[in-house]
Amino acid sequence: MPNPSVLAQKQAFVDQLAEKIKNASAGVLVDYKGINVADDTKLRRELRAAGVDYSVTKNTLLNFACEKIGFDSLNLSTHLKGTTALAVSADDPVAAAKILSDYAKKSNGKFSIKAGFVDGRVITSAEVAALAELPPREQLIARVLGGLNAPISGLVNVLNGNIRGLVVALNAIAEQKGA
């Protein structure tokens, strides 16, 4: 029979983990086998700077958290084998995928991406890699705003051209009358 205090601690941890996953805009599950301490520290520092919460988690506790929020029906639990670390980002859905995909490419197979999730939808490791290829959030916003600004700029140029043509015509008439 498990110790009631240990069981209560584990249940509290599962509740916190479920809340963290539910509030995250995106997350990535990785297999960290073969990473050394220096590289892990460097990776954690980079993730922390990007606002990503990265932690090693027991598969059973992560599975209970996924069941609690409904991810068990999305087959996230099939990826919970071997060593597992979870990186979640509350704000930027691309940050964790980008940093971890870059690191996985450099690690020569020691570090691999298992799966991920974005806004309550489980994605495969290939989809995480595709998500990592997206430009940063600020650049996407700039592109959207540029696209919205283009028709307005075109309208201003057309109206400006008509006024300019009117001024040139009036100037020509004034020069003719003056001569």
Side-chain angles (χ1 to χ4, degrees), residues 105-169:
K105 288 176 189 173
K106 296 176 193 173
S107 72
N108 297 328
K110 296 178 184 176
F111 187 89
S112 63
I113 295 176
K114 293 181 174 185
F117 59 90
V118 177
D119 292 329
R121 183 178 157 271
V122 175
I123 58 176
T124 64
S125 60
E127 290 172 317
V128 171
L131 183 65
E133 297 299 320
L134 286 175
R137 184 172 190 244
E138 293 79 19
Q139 192 174 358
L140 287 174
I141 291 171
R143 285 184 185 178
V144 168
L145 292 177
L148 293 174
N149 194 21
I152 296 169
S153 298
L155 178 64
V156 168
N157 287 335
V158 167
L159 293 175
N160 214 10
N162 289 340
I163 293 172
R164 192 177 313 118
L166 178 63
V167 169
V168 169

Side-chain angles (χ1 to χ4, degrees), residues 1-81:
M1 179 101 178
N3 186 343
S5 65
V6 172
L7 188 59
Q9 287 175 345
K10 287 183 179 183
Q11 286 174 339
F13 180 77
V14 168
D15 291 341
Q16 289 173 347
L17 190 59
E19 193 64 29
K20 185 180 359 176
I21 293 170
K22 190 175 11 173
N23 293 335
S25 64
V28 179
L29 292 173
V30 296
D31 184 354
Y32 63 91
K33 190 181 341 174
I35 186 172
N36 62 34
V37 175
D39 289 341
D40 187 48
T41 303
K42 182 180 173 187
L43 176 65
R44 286 175 185 265
R45 187 177 300 123
E46 190 176 348
L47 288 166
R48 200 174 311 115
V52 177
D53 183 26
Y54 177 81
S55 60
V56 173
T57 310
K58 285 189 168 195
N59 290 332
T60 53
L61 298 178
L62 188 55
N63 191 29
F64 286 138
C66 290
E67 287 176 4
K68 187 172 185 123
I69 59 173
F71 274 10
D72 59 331
S73 63
L74 301 174
N75 294 329
L76 188 64
S77 59
T78 60
H79 302 285
L80 299 178
K81 292 174 180 53

